[in-house]
Amino acid sequence: MALLVVGLLAAAVGGYAWWQRSQARARERARAAAAEAAGAYLAAWEARDVDRMRSLSVDPPDGFDDLHRATVEALGVQAVEVDAGTATLVDPGSIAAGATVPYSATLHLAGLGQWSYDATVPLVPVGEGEDRRWRVDWSPAVLHPALDDGERLDRVREWPSRAPILGHDGRALDPAGIGLELVVGRTGEVTAELLQRLGEPYRPGDMVGLGGLQLAFERRLAGSPSGDVRVVDAQGQVVEVLHRFPGEQPAPLRTTLDPDAQRAAAGALATASSPSAMVVVDASTSEIRAVVNRPDSGFNRAFSGRYPPGSAFKVVTTTAVLRAGVTPETVVSCPERAVVHGRPFRNFEGEAFGDIPFREAFYRSCNTAFVQLAADLEDGALDAAAADYGFDSGWSLPVGEPVARFPEPRDLAERAAAAIGQARVEASPVHLASVAAAVGQGRWRSPTLLADADPTVAPDGLDLVADTIAALMREVPRRGTAEGAGLPEGVAGKTGTAEYGTGAPLPTHALFIGFRSDGAGPQRDVAFAVVVEGGSSGGAVAAPVAARFLAALP
């Protein structure tokens, strides 16, 4: 009898253990099934597949679709990333009580950034046995735990006030009416092209820089938007702020531009009837003080214009000639016509001055004298002088693409043409202004547009010849090709009349470069370049522009 009782007890204990294992397996299967259902629902949320989300929910309300789609639209959801946790049975003793699966969501909100939060998916079993399926017991709290019936998520987004662009004295620059729009730029609603280029955090309707420094330094000047993610009720009243995006404050951009010099330069070119440009730089630092384009729209010819410098390049050629041993008093020949390596050259309007000192050949801008002198230079001498004035140095500005090209001459004829700023030599007005400044400084420095910018500096100075060239340039307004242009005493300059295009005779651009360093004040120590397209004569057309500028400069 005792053995029978022991056997019955053992069977009972074994049966209970089997039942416990069976229940444990059932609970594990239930957790796994609940986790799978939650995973499917959250995957549908990642894919923003509202139809699939509804099919995985128990009796979703009529506003289910609208709430999810409105949330995506209101928040500007670009992507959803979800990381699901471990499923847990609400009551380990009863599968029917349901399960929960925690999850972490990261929403990528267009124009603001990432927002992460934690929430829970509640699930209940539907059906029995093999037909049992787990479904989401949906409420607004599944989307976010702070949501209650009748509430929804939205956001606000705001850009800070845009920072100003400043002149070198700290005053805000207003480009309107003073010829600065192509350099400073303007602001307006973002275009489709810029929206693609700028990327986040920009959205349609945002105000951005449209060209010039406004666009080049968009991120600095604009900062980034701030915003809130909020819970609002059916009337749109804020219930709770869930997350704040602080944004970034913008920073001003300080330039080297001088509003007074800019107004003077703009006034000097105001009556120009053809496309033209003027650039003014500080004579001792090459910091850009004024930039004028006419017209002030479309193409920034002041910074990016590709012009043959014509006789303005004779400053560079003179550097090579003086280094070769020529002096201002050396007698040179200035015939009406000279032939170099089979190519004929003539002077402007057929002038001829016979045998004259080099000084006179410079201030009268005698082409035939210069081409003969260039032919006698050692190979590479003219190239070296051009390099000392920044040609082919690859310097740059934050806006525009400055040009300074001196290709190695193919033969003596091309060297002669290059010596008078023709052939394949090209320079932008801003670079020509730096050529004039280099004479005054004794060393070339690249023009700079931003405060504290580091200029490119030529490795070799012009100390041994700069004073001589400056003295020669002062003769140009006094009794040379710029005589009668109205330039004040002491201005050093060089005219240029550069051939371009096709036809007979070839059309010409008018150029004038120069500098003034009179010590009367830092704003008066300036170097400049003027280019008037199709202007015929540098002395008659471009030099008077410089004179009007200097007269108006405070």
Side-chain angles (χ1 to χ4, degrees), residues 171 173-181 183-184 257-269 278-280 288-294 296 449 549 553-554:
R171 286 183 288 173
L173 293 173
D174 180 5
I178 58 173
L180 265 180
E181 184 170 305
V183 175
V184 172
L257 294 166
D258 180 347
D260 294 332
Q262 182 66 34
R263 279 188 287 272
L269 266 185
M278 182 173 189
V279 178
V280 180
I288 298 171
R289 296 291 182 237
V291 185
V292 182
N293 285 282
R294 288 285 181 261
D296 189 24
L449 185 58
F549 161 72
L553 192 65

PDB file of all heavy atoms in Angstrom, residues 171 173-181 183-184 257-269 278-280 288-294 296 449 549 553-554:
ATOM      1  N   ARG A 171      30.214  98.766 -40.044  1.00  0.00           N
ATOM      2  CA  ARG A 171      28.880  99.171 -40.470  1.00  0.00           C
ATOM      3  C   ARG A 171      28.264  98.106 -41.379  1.00  0.00           C
ATOM      4  O   ARG A 171      28.966  97.530 -42.215  1.00  0.00           O
ATOM      5  CB  ARG A 171      28.933 100.502 -41.224  1.00  0.00           C
ATOM      6  CG  ARG A 171      29.176 101.704 -40.338  1.00  0.00           C
ATOM      7  CD  ARG A 171      29.154 102.990 -41.154  1.00  0.00           C
ATOM      8  NE  ARG A 171      30.343 103.132 -42.002  1.00  0.00           N
ATOM      9  CZ  ARG A 171      30.495 104.095 -42.903  1.00  0.00           C
ATOM     10  NH1 ARG A 171      29.536 104.982 -43.091  1.00  0.00           N
ATOM     11  NH2 ARG A 171      31.602 104.156 -43.615  1.00  0.00           N
ATOM     12  N   LEU A 173      26.481  96.571 -44.474  1.00  0.00           N
ATOM     13  CA  LEU A 173      26.494  96.955 -45.884  1.00  0.00           C
ATOM     14  C   LEU A 173      25.104  96.803 -46.479  1.00  0.00           C
ATOM     15  O   LEU A 173      24.453  95.767 -46.313  1.00  0.00           O
ATOM     16  CB  LEU A 173      27.474  96.080 -46.663  1.00  0.00           C
ATOM     17  CG  LEU A 173      28.951  96.249 -46.323  1.00  0.00           C
ATOM     18  CD1 LEU A 173      29.780  95.193 -47.056  1.00  0.00           C
ATOM     19  CD2 LEU A 173      29.433  97.652 -46.697  1.00  0.00           C
ATOM     20  N   ASP A 174      24.665  97.830 -47.165  1.00  0.00           N
ATOM     21  CA  ASP A 174      23.414  97.778 -47.913  1.00  0.00           C
ATOM     22  C   ASP A 174      23.769  97.889 -49.388  1.00  0.00           C
ATOM     23  O   ASP A 174      24.145  98.956 -49.863  1.00  0.00           O
ATOM     24  CB  ASP A 174      22.495  98.929 -47.508  1.00  0.00           C
ATOM     25  CG  ASP A 174      21.173  98.907 -48.274  1.00  0.00           C
ATOM     26  OD1 ASP A 174      20.939  97.945 -49.045  1.00  0.00           O
ATOM     27  OD2 ASP A 174      20.378  99.851 -48.104  1.00  0.00           O
ATOM     28  N   PRO A 175      23.663  96.760 -50.130  1.00  0.00           N
ATOM     29  CA  PRO A 175      24.145  96.784 -51.521  1.00  0.00           C
ATOM     30  C   PRO A 175      23.273  97.589 -52.468  1.00  0.00           C
ATOM     31  O   PRO A 175      23.697  97.917 -53.563  1.00  0.00           O
ATOM     32  CB  PRO A 175      24.138  95.300 -51.910  1.00  0.00           C
ATOM     33  CG  PRO A 175      23.094  94.687 -51.040  1.00  0.00           C
ATOM     34  CD  PRO A 175      23.163  95.435 -49.735  1.00  0.00           C
ATOM     35  N   ALA A 176      22.067  97.934 -52.054  1.00  0.00           N
ATOM     36  CA  ALA A 176      21.136  98.591 -52.971  1.00  0.00           C
ATOM     37  C   ALA A 176      21.676  99.942 -53.419  1.00  0.00           C
ATOM     38  O   ALA A 176      22.034 100.790 -52.604  1.00  0.00           O
ATOM     39  CB  ALA A 176      19.776  98.766 -52.298  1.00  0.00           C
ATOM     40  N   GLY A 177      21.742 100.124 -54.732  1.00  0.00           N
ATOM     41  CA  GLY A 177      22.069 101.415 -55.312  1.00  0.00           C
ATOM     42  C   GLY A 177      23.541 101.778 -55.336  1.00  0.00           C
ATOM     43  O   GLY A 177      23.894 102.841 -55.849  1.00  0.00           O
ATOM     44  N   ILE A 178      24.419 100.937 -54.801  1.00  0.00           N
ATOM     45  CA  ILE A 178      25.840 101.303 -54.797  1.00  0.00           C
ATOM     46  C   ILE A 178      26.683 100.240 -55.501  1.00  0.00           C
ATOM     47  O   ILE A 178      27.882 100.150 -55.284  1.00  0.00           O
ATOM     48  CB  ILE A 178      26.363 101.551 -53.369  1.00  0.00           C
ATOM     49  CG1 ILE A 178      26.167 100.323 -52.470  1.00  0.00           C
ATOM     50  CG2 ILE A 178      25.706 102.773 -52.750  1.00  0.00           C
ATOM     51  CD1 ILE A 178      26.832 100.476 -51.109  1.00  0.00           C
ATOM     52  N   GLY A 179      26.043  99.433 -56.347  1.00  0.00           N
ATOM     53  CA  GLY A 179      26.796  98.529 -57.210  1.00  0.00           C
ATOM     54  C   GLY A 179      27.374  97.310 -56.536  1.00  0.00           C
ATOM     55  O   GLY A 179      28.313  96.714 -57.058  1.00  0.00           O
ATOM     56  N   LEU A 180      26.831  96.894 -55.389  1.00  0.00           N
ATOM     57  CA  LEU A 180      27.425  95.784 -54.639  1.00  0.00           C
ATOM     58  C   LEU A 180      26.622  94.490 -54.686  1.00  0.00           C
ATOM     59  O   LEU A 180      27.009  93.514 -54.049  1.00  0.00           O
ATOM     60  CB  LEU A 180      27.603  96.181 -53.161  1.00  0.00           C
ATOM     61  CG  LEU A 180      28.955  96.732 -52.748  1.00  0.00           C
ATOM     62  CD1 LEU A 180      28.961  97.060 -51.268  1.00  0.00           C
ATOM     63  CD2 LEU A 180      30.079  95.760 -53.077  1.00  0.00           C
ATOM     64  N   GLU A 181      25.530  94.465 -55.411  1.00  0.00           N
ATOM     65  CA  GLU A 181      24.661  93.290 -55.322  1.00  0.00           C
ATOM     66  C   GLU A 181      25.357  92.016 -55.768  1.00  0.00           C
ATOM     67  O   GLU A 181      25.170  90.954 -55.182  1.00  0.00           O
ATOM     68  CB  GLU A 181      23.386  93.504 -56.144  1.00  0.00           C
ATOM     69  CG  GLU A 181      22.413  92.345 -56.005  1.00  0.00           C
ATOM     70  CD  GLU A 181      21.056  92.645 -56.607  1.00  0.00           C
ATOM     71  OE1 GLU A 181      20.445  93.653 -56.223  1.00  0.00           O
ATOM     72  OE2 GLU A 181      20.621  91.855 -57.474  1.00  0.00           O
ATOM     73  N   VAL A 183      28.389  91.226 -55.447  1.00  0.00           N
ATOM     74  CA  VAL A 183      29.386  90.806 -54.460  1.00  0.00           C
ATOM     75  C   VAL A 183      28.708  90.413 -53.148  1.00  0.00           C
ATOM     76  O   VAL A 183      28.923  89.313 -52.634  1.00  0.00           O
ATOM     77  CB  VAL A 183      30.416  91.919 -54.211  1.00  0.00           C
ATOM     78  CG1 VAL A 183      31.382  91.530 -53.098  1.00  0.00           C
ATOM     79  CG2 VAL A 183      31.183  92.210 -55.491  1.00  0.00           C
ATOM     80  N   VAL A 184      27.906  91.295 -52.597  1.00  0.00           N
ATOM     81  CA  VAL A 184      27.232  91.009 -51.325  1.00  0.00           C
ATOM     82  C   VAL A 184      26.100  90.014 -51.532  1.00  0.00           C
ATOM     83  O   VAL A 184      25.884  89.125 -50.719  1.00  0.00           O
ATOM     84  CB  VAL A 184      26.709  92.308 -50.693  1.00  0.00           C
ATOM     85  CG1 VAL A 184      25.843  92.004 -49.472  1.00  0.00           C
ATOM     86  CG2 VAL A 184      27.877  93.207 -50.300  1.00  0.00           C
ATOM     87  N   LEU A 257      35.317  95.796 -47.263  1.00  0.00           N
ATOM     88  CA  LEU A 257      34.698  96.843 -48.075  1.00  0.00           C
ATOM     89  C   LEU A 257      34.478  98.121 -47.261  1.00  0.00           C
ATOM     90  O   LEU A 257      34.138  98.075 -46.080  1.00  0.00           O
ATOM     91  CB  LEU A 257      33.370  96.348 -48.639  1.00  0.00           C
ATOM     92  CG  LEU A 257      33.479  95.192 -49.645  1.00  0.00           C
ATOM     93  CD1 LEU A 257      32.117  94.552 -49.884  1.00  0.00           C
ATOM     94  CD2 LEU A 257      34.087  95.683 -50.949  1.00  0.00           C
ATOM     95  N   ASP A 258      34.651  99.261 -47.926  1.00  0.00           N
ATOM     96  CA  ASP A 258      34.478 100.572 -47.315  1.00  0.00           C
ATOM     97  C   ASP A 258      33.274 101.248 -47.964  1.00  0.00           C
ATOM     98  O   ASP A 258      33.312 101.569 -49.157  1.00  0.00           O
ATOM     99  CB  ASP A 258      35.741 101.403 -47.539  1.00  0.00           C
ATOM    100  CG  ASP A 258      35.653 102.795 -46.934  1.00  0.00           C
ATOM    101  OD1 ASP A 258      34.543 103.221 -46.556  1.00  0.00           O
ATOM    102  OD2 ASP A 258      36.700 103.463 -46.832  1.00  0.00           O
ATOM    103  N   PRO A 259      32.189 101.469 -47.212  1.00  0.00           N
ATOM    104  CA  PRO A 259      30.989 102.084 -47.820  1.00  0.00           C
ATOM    105  C   PRO A 259      31.271 103.433 -48.482  1.00  0.00           C
ATOM    106  O   PRO A 259      30.674 103.743 -49.524  1.00  0.00           O
ATOM    107  CB  PRO A 259      30.032 102.227 -46.633  1.00  0.00           C
ATOM    108  CG  PRO A 259      30.466 101.165 -45.670  1.00  0.00           C
ATOM    109  CD  PRO A 259      31.959 101.085 -45.819  1.00  0.00           C
ATOM    110  N   ASP A 260      32.153 104.218 -47.920  1.00  0.00           N
ATOM    111  CA  ASP A 260      32.451 105.529 -48.523  1.00  0.00           C
ATOM    112  C   ASP A 260      33.171 105.361 -49.864  1.00  0.00           C
ATOM    113  O   ASP A 260      32.830 106.033 -50.856  1.00  0.00           O
ATOM    114  CB  ASP A 260      33.320 106.359 -47.572  1.00  0.00           C
ATOM    115  CG  ASP A 260      32.576 106.735 -46.291  1.00  0.00           C
ATOM    116  OD1 ASP A 260      31.331 106.843 -46.341  1.00  0.00           O
ATOM    117  OD2 ASP A 260      33.236 106.900 -45.251  1.00  0.00           O
ATOM    118  N   ALA A 261      34.167 104.477 -49.898  1.00  0.00           N
ATOM    119  CA  ALA A 261      34.860 104.219 -51.162  1.00  0.00           C
ATOM    120  C   ALA A 261      33.908 103.590 -52.170  1.00  0.00           C
ATOM    121  O   ALA A 261      33.983 103.887 -53.374  1.00  0.00           O
ATOM    122  CB  ALA A 261      36.062 103.305 -50.921  1.00  0.00           C
ATOM    123  N   GLN A 262      33.008 102.745 -51.692  1.00  0.00           N
ATOM    124  CA  GLN A 262      32.053 102.105 -52.598  1.00  0.00           C
ATOM    125  C   GLN A 262      31.132 103.134 -53.242  1.00  0.00           C
ATOM    126  O   GLN A 262      30.879 103.089 -54.444  1.00  0.00           O
ATOM    127  CB  GLN A 262      31.218 101.066 -51.831  1.00  0.00           C
ATOM    128  CG  GLN A 262      30.227 100.309 -52.683  1.00  0.00           C
ATOM    129  CD  GLN A 262      30.890  99.417 -53.703  1.00  0.00           C
ATOM    130  OE1 GLN A 262      31.947  98.857 -53.459  1.00  0.00           O
ATOM    131  NE2 GLN A 262      30.262  99.285 -54.869  1.00  0.00           N
ATOM    132  N   ARG A 263      30.624 104.069 -52.453  1.00  0.00           N
ATOM    133  CA  ARG A 263      29.751 105.102 -53.026  1.00  0.00           C
ATOM    134  C   ARG A 263      30.511 105.962 -54.027  1.00  0.00           C
ATOM    135  O   ARG A 263      29.973 106.347 -55.077  1.00  0.00           O
ATOM    136  CB  ARG A 263      29.162 105.958 -51.908  1.00  0.00           C
ATOM    137  CG  ARG A 263      27.955 105.316 -51.241  1.00  0.00           C
ATOM    138  CD  ARG A 263      27.287 106.291 -50.284  1.00  0.00           C
ATOM    139  NE  ARG A 263      28.081 106.477 -49.083  1.00  0.00           N
ATOM    140  CZ  ARG A 263      27.983 105.708 -47.993  1.00  0.00           C
ATOM    141  NH1 ARG A 263      27.123 104.707 -47.987  1.00  0.00           N
ATOM    142  NH2 ARG A 263      28.733 105.940 -46.948  1.00  0.00           N
ATOM    143  N   ALA A 264      31.767 106.278 -53.708  1.00  0.00           N
ATOM    144  CA  ALA A 264      32.563 107.098 -54.629  1.00  0.00           C
ATOM    145  C   ALA A 264      32.805 106.358 -55.943  1.00  0.00           C
ATOM    146  O   ALA A 264      32.703 106.945 -57.027  1.00  0.00           O
ATOM    147  CB  ALA A 264      33.891 107.468 -53.978  1.00  0.00           C
ATOM    148  N   ALA A 265      33.112 105.056 -55.864  1.00  0.00           N
ATOM    149  CA  ALA A 265      33.352 104.278 -57.079  1.00  0.00           C
ATOM    150  C   ALA A 265      32.073 104.095 -57.871  1.00  0.00           C
ATOM    151  O   ALA A 265      32.077 104.182 -59.108  1.00  0.00           O
ATOM    152  CB  ALA A 265      33.954 102.917 -56.705  1.00  0.00           C
ATOM    153  N   ALA A 266      30.966 103.847 -57.179  1.00  0.00           N
ATOM    154  CA  ALA A 266      29.687 103.674 -57.880  1.00  0.00           C
ATOM    155  C   ALA A 266      29.299 104.957 -58.598  1.00  0.00           C
ATOM    156  O   ALA A 266      28.804 104.930 -59.734  1.00  0.00           O
ATOM    157  CB  ALA A 266      28.597 103.251 -56.890  1.00  0.00           C
ATOM    158  N   GLY A 267      29.526 106.096 -57.957  1.00  0.00           N
ATOM    159  CA  GLY A 267      29.219 107.370 -58.606  1.00  0.00           C
ATOM    160  C   GLY A 267      30.106 107.635 -59.807  1.00  0.00           C
ATOM    161  O   GLY A 267      29.650 108.182 -60.821  1.00  0.00           O
ATOM    162  N   ALA A 268      31.366 107.211 -59.720  1.00  0.00           N
ATOM    163  CA  ALA A 268      32.284 107.435 -60.838  1.00  0.00           C
ATOM    164  C   ALA A 268      31.884 106.655 -62.075  1.00  0.00           C
ATOM    165  O   ALA A 268      32.134 107.088 -63.203  1.00  0.00           O
ATOM    166  CB  ALA A 268      33.704 107.063 -60.416  1.00  0.00           C
ATOM    167  N   LEU A 269      31.269 105.495 -61.885  1.00  0.00           N
ATOM    168  CA  LEU A 269      30.868 104.662 -63.021  1.00  0.00           C
ATOM    169  C   LEU A 269      29.386 104.815 -63.366  1.00  0.00           C
ATOM    170  O   LEU A 269      28.892 104.121 -64.250  1.00  0.00           O
ATOM    171  CB  LEU A 269      31.136 103.183 -62.718  1.00  0.00           C
ATOM    172  CG  LEU A 269      32.467 102.600 -63.200  1.00  0.00           C
ATOM    173  CD1 LEU A 269      32.510 101.110 -62.924  1.00  0.00           C
ATOM    174  CD2 LEU A 269      32.684 102.850 -64.682  1.00  0.00           C
ATOM    175  N   MET A 278      34.896  98.501 -61.866  1.00  0.00           N
ATOM    176  CA  MET A 278      35.964  99.189 -61.146  1.00  0.00           C
ATOM    177  C   MET A 278      36.200  98.450 -59.838  1.00  0.00           C
ATOM    178  O   MET A 278      35.256  98.065 -59.146  1.00  0.00           O
ATOM    179  CB  MET A 278      35.609 100.644 -60.857  1.00  0.00           C
ATOM    180  CG  MET A 278      36.720 101.412 -60.155  1.00  0.00           C
ATOM    181  SD  MET A 278      36.366 103.178 -59.988  1.00  0.00           S
ATOM    182  CE  MET A 278      37.951 103.775 -59.388  1.00  0.00           C
ATOM    183  N   VAL A 279      37.462  98.258 -59.497  1.00  0.00           N
ATOM    184  CA  VAL A 279      37.842  97.639 -58.229  1.00  0.00           C
ATOM    185  C   VAL A 279      38.844  98.560 -57.546  1.00  0.00           C
ATOM    186  O   VAL A 279      39.789  99.044 -58.171  1.00  0.00           O
ATOM    187  CB  VAL A 279      38.454  96.238 -58.424  1.00  0.00           C
ATOM    188  CG1 VAL A 279      38.889  95.651 -57.084  1.00  0.00           C
ATOM    189  CG2 VAL A 279      37.461  95.306 -59.104  1.00  0.00           C
ATOM    190  N   VAL A 280      38.626  98.783 -56.262  1.00  0.00           N
ATOM    191  CA  VAL A 280      39.520  99.614 -55.454  1.00  0.00           C
ATOM    192  C   VAL A 280      40.063  98.757 -54.324  1.00  0.00           C
ATOM    193  O   VAL A 280      39.305  98.062 -53.639  1.00  0.00           O
ATOM    194  CB  VAL A 280      38.776 100.831 -54.874  1.00  0.00           C
ATOM    195  CG1 VAL A 280      39.723 101.693 -54.032  1.00  0.00           C
ATOM    196  CG2 VAL A 280      38.142 101.656 -55.986  1.00  0.00           C
ATOM    197  N   ILE A 288      40.257  94.652 -50.430  1.00  0.00           N
ATOM    198  CA  ILE A 288      39.316  95.241 -51.377  1.00  0.00           C
ATOM    199  C   ILE A 288      38.427  96.244 -50.653  1.00  0.00           C
ATOM    200  O   ILE A 288      37.751  95.902 -49.682  1.00  0.00           O
ATOM    201  CB  ILE A 288      38.478  94.146 -52.047  1.00  0.00           C
ATOM    202  CG1 ILE A 288      39.387  93.202 -52.844  1.00  0.00           C
ATOM    203  CG2 ILE A 288      37.423  94.761 -52.958  1.00  0.00           C
ATOM    204  CD1 ILE A 288      38.674  91.970 -53.369  1.00  0.00           C
ATOM    205  N   ARG A 289      38.403  97.461 -51.141  1.00  0.00           N
ATOM    206  CA  ARG A 289      37.592  98.516 -50.533  1.00  0.00           C
ATOM    207  C   ARG A 289      36.305  98.804 -51.306  1.00  0.00           C
ATOM    208  O   ARG A 289      35.310  99.233 -50.709  1.00  0.00           O
ATOM    209  CB  ARG A 289      38.405  99.810 -50.429  1.00  0.00           C
ATOM    210  CG  ARG A 289      39.616  99.717 -49.507  1.00  0.00           C
ATOM    211  CD  ARG A 289      39.169  99.576 -48.061  1.00  0.00           C
ATOM    212  NE  ARG A 289      40.317  99.543 -47.149  1.00  0.00           N
ATOM    213  CZ  ARG A 289      40.563  98.561 -46.310  1.00  0.00           C
ATOM    214  NH1 ARG A 289      39.753  97.513 -46.267  1.00  0.00           N
ATOM    215  NH2 ARG A 289      41.599  98.601 -45.500  1.00  0.00           N
ATOM    216  N   ALA A 290      36.305  98.583 -52.599  1.00  0.00           N
ATOM    217  CA  ALA A 290      35.101  98.866 -53.387  1.00  0.00           C
ATOM    218  C   ALA A 290      35.100  97.978 -54.628  1.00  0.00           C
ATOM    219  O   ALA A 290      36.167  97.681 -55.190  1.00  0.00           O
ATOM    220  CB  ALA A 290      35.045 100.341 -53.794  1.00  0.00           C
ATOM    221  N   VAL A 291      33.904  97.582 -55.036  1.00  0.00           N
ATOM    222  CA  VAL A 291      33.714  96.767 -56.239  1.00  0.00           C
ATOM    223  C   VAL A 291      32.457  97.261 -56.926  1.00  0.00           C
ATOM    224  O   VAL A 291      31.376  97.261 -56.332  1.00  0.00           O
ATOM    225  CB  VAL A 291      33.530  95.269 -55.902  1.00  0.00           C
ATOM    226  CG1 VAL A 291      33.453  94.456 -57.191  1.00  0.00           C
ATOM    227  CG2 VAL A 291      34.630  94.755 -55.003  1.00  0.00           C
ATOM    228  N   VAL A 292      32.596  97.679 -58.163  1.00  0.00           N
ATOM    229  CA  VAL A 292      31.435  98.167 -58.912  1.00  0.00           C
ATOM    230  C   VAL A 292      31.346  97.425 -60.230  1.00  0.00           C
ATOM    231  O   VAL A 292      32.339  97.294 -60.953  1.00  0.00           O
ATOM    232  CB  VAL A 292      31.513  99.686 -59.170  1.00  0.00           C
ATOM    233  CG1 VAL A 292      30.260 100.164 -59.900  1.00  0.00           C
ATOM    234  CG2 VAL A 292      31.677 100.445 -57.859  1.00  0.00           C
ATOM    235  N   ASN A 293      30.158  96.948 -60.522  1.00  0.00           N
ATOM    236  CA  ASN A 293      29.847  96.346 -61.817  1.00  0.00           C
ATOM    237  C   ASN A 293      28.744  97.152 -62.479  1.00  0.00           C
ATOM    238  O   ASN A 293      27.768  97.535 -61.823  1.00  0.00           O
ATOM    239  CB  ASN A 293      29.355  94.904 -61.643  1.00  0.00           C
ATOM    240  CG  ASN A 293      30.462  93.930 -61.310  1.00  0.00           C
ATOM    241  OD1 ASN A 293      31.215  93.517 -62.174  1.00  0.00           O
ATOM    242  ND2 ASN A 293      30.558  93.562 -60.032  1.00  0.00           N
ATOM    243  N   ARG A 294      28.893  97.400 -63.734  1.00  0.00           N
ATOM    244  CA  ARG A 294      27.815  98.006 -64.527  1.00  0.00           C
ATOM    245  C   ARG A 294      27.572  97.122 -65.745  1.00  0.00           C
ATOM    246  O   ARG A 294      28.479  96.961 -66.555  1.00  0.00           O
ATOM    247  CB  ARG A 294      28.180  99.436 -64.964  1.00  0.00           C
ATOM    248  CG  ARG A 294      28.162 100.435 -63.820  1.00  0.00           C
ATOM    249  CD  ARG A 294      26.720 100.800 -63.430  1.00  0.00           C
ATOM    250  NE  ARG A 294      26.699 101.780 -62.346  1.00  0.00           N
ATOM    251  CZ  ARG A 294      26.508 101.500 -61.073  1.00  0.00           C
ATOM    252  NH1 ARG A 294      26.327 100.233 -60.711  1.00  0.00           N
ATOM    253  NH2 ARG A 294      26.484 102.441 -60.157  1.00  0.00           N
ATOM    254  N   ASP A 296      24.811  96.040 -62.597  1.00  0.00           N
ATOM    255  CA  ASP A 296      24.995  95.329 -61.328  1.00  0.00           C
ATOM    256  C   ASP A 296      24.058  94.124 -61.256  1.00  0.00           C
ATOM    257  O   ASP A 296      23.312  93.958 -60.294  1.00  0.00           O
ATOM    258  CB  ASP A 296      24.731  96.269 -60.158  1.00  0.00           C
ATOM    259  CG  ASP A 296      25.138  95.632 -58.826  1.00  0.00           C
ATOM    260  OD1 ASP A 296      25.993  94.721 -58.848  1.00  0.00           O
ATOM    261  OD2 ASP A 296      24.589  96.043 -57.788  1.00  0.00           O
ATOM    262  N   LEU A 449      38.912  89.914 -49.488  1.00  0.00           N
ATOM    263  CA  LEU A 449      37.571  90.495 -49.332  1.00  0.00           C
ATOM    264  C   LEU A 449      37.037  90.358 -47.916  1.00  0.00           C
ATOM    265  O   LEU A 449      36.113  91.065 -47.536  1.00  0.00           O
ATOM    266  CB  LEU A 449      36.618  89.812 -50.321  1.00  0.00           C
ATOM    267  CG  LEU A 449      35.187  90.336 -50.412  1.00  0.00           C
ATOM    268  CD1 LEU A 449      35.163  91.816 -50.789  1.00  0.00           C
ATOM    269  CD2 LEU A 449      34.394  89.529 -51.421  1.00  0.00           C
ATOM    270  N   PHE A 549      36.386 109.173 -59.282  1.00  0.00           N
ATOM    271  CA  PHE A 549      36.400 108.424 -58.025  1.00  0.00           C
ATOM    272  C   PHE A 549      37.266 109.125 -56.984  1.00  0.00           C
ATOM    273  O   PHE A 549      36.850 109.328 -55.836  1.00  0.00           O
ATOM    274  CB  PHE A 549      36.921 107.003 -58.273  1.00  0.00           C
ATOM    275  CG  PHE A 549      37.406 106.311 -57.040  1.00  0.00           C
ATOM    276  CD1 PHE A 549      36.515 105.862 -56.082  1.00  0.00           C
ATOM    277  CD2 PHE A 549      38.773 106.120 -56.820  1.00  0.00           C
ATOM    278  CE1 PHE A 549      36.956 105.236 -54.922  1.00  0.00           C
ATOM    279  CE2 PHE A 549      39.224 105.495 -55.672  1.00  0.00           C
ATOM    280  CZ  PHE A 549      38.319 105.051 -54.725  1.00  0.00           C
ATOM    281  N   LEU A 553      36.216 110.718 -53.224  1.00  0.00           N
ATOM    282  CA  LEU A 553      36.637 109.948 -52.063  1.00  0.00           C
ATOM    283  C   LEU A 553      36.855 110.885 -50.877  1.00  0.00           C
ATOM    284  O   LEU A 553      37.561 111.884 -50.993  1.00  0.00           O
ATOM    285  CB  LEU A 553      37.934 109.198 -52.384  1.00  0.00           C
ATOM    286  CG  LEU A 553      38.375 108.123 -51.394  1.00  0.00           C
ATOM    287  CD1 LEU A 553      37.372 106.984 -51.368  1.00  0.00           C
ATOM    288  CD2 LEU A 553      39.759 107.606 -51.774  1.00  0.00           C
ATOM    289  N   PRO A 554      36.249 110.614 -49.729  1.00  0.00           N
ATOM    290  CA  PRO A 554      36.413 111.504 -48.566  1.00  0.00           C
ATOM    291  C   PRO A 554      37.878 111.629 -48.136  1.00  0.00           C
ATOM    292  O   PRO A 554      38.649 110.697 -48.281  1.00  0.00           O
ATOM    293  CB  PRO A 554      35.588 110.807 -47.472  1.00  0.00           C
ATOM    294  CG  PRO A 554      34.611 109.952 -48.205  1.00  0.00           C
ATOM    295  CD  PRO A 554      35.328 109.502 -49.460  1.00  0.00           C
TER     296      PRO A 554
END
